[in-house]
Structures are given as C-alpha cells and as structure tokens.
Amino acid sequence: MDMKEASAMTEASGLVSEQGSDGRPIESASQDFAIRCAERLRKVTIEAPLQSLFVAFLLGIWVARRG
C-alpha cells in the first residue's frame, strides 16, 4: 500500500489526518506557544550576559574617569 492508498482510506473512513500537506505533523496552538516561549527564552539567555558585560564596561569607564 502506498501513501495515496493510505490517504484515500483515511479520508474514506472519516478520520482526520494529523499531518499537513508537507508530511509533517500539524502543531497545536499550545505547541506553537511553547516553541515561541522556548525561542524567546533562548534569545534572552544569550543577550543577558552581553547586556551585563556592556553595563559593567560602562561602569568601569565611569569609575576610571572619576578616579
């Protein structure tokens, strides 16, 4: 049985396919939200040390000029 036959049998039985037209599983809204949150967390985790380093650099310049 090939994919066309399996697809036709699934449609005929009334079952809903859990795959999109490209063959990947369709993501639910909660999975999409979780993915977006994970991406945001990853971005913040990378940027936070850079921001801290920048603030420390500016603080160092400020202290050096005062002394």
Side-chain angles (χ1 to χ4, degrees), residues 1-62:
M1 177 183 326
D2 64 356
M3 284 300 290
K4 288 181 182 178
E5 290 175 348
S7 169
M9 289 176 59
T10 302
E11 289 178 19
S13 68
L15 296 175
V16 178
S17 175
E18 292 185 5
Q19 292 187 345
S21 60
D22 57 357
R24 293 186 333 195
I26 297 173
E27 296 176 352
S28 68
S30 62
Q31 287 176 331
D32 186 41
F33 178 73
I35 290 170
R36 283 187 283 130
C37 286
E39 290 295 324
R40 176 74 177 142
L41 180 61
R42 187 175 297 121
K43 183 179 177 183
V44 168
T45 304
I46 291 170
E47 289 178 355
L50 294 176
Q51 289 173 349
S52 299
L53 184 63
F54 181 68
V55 169
F57 175 74
L58 290 179
L59 185 60
I61 291 174
W62 182 69

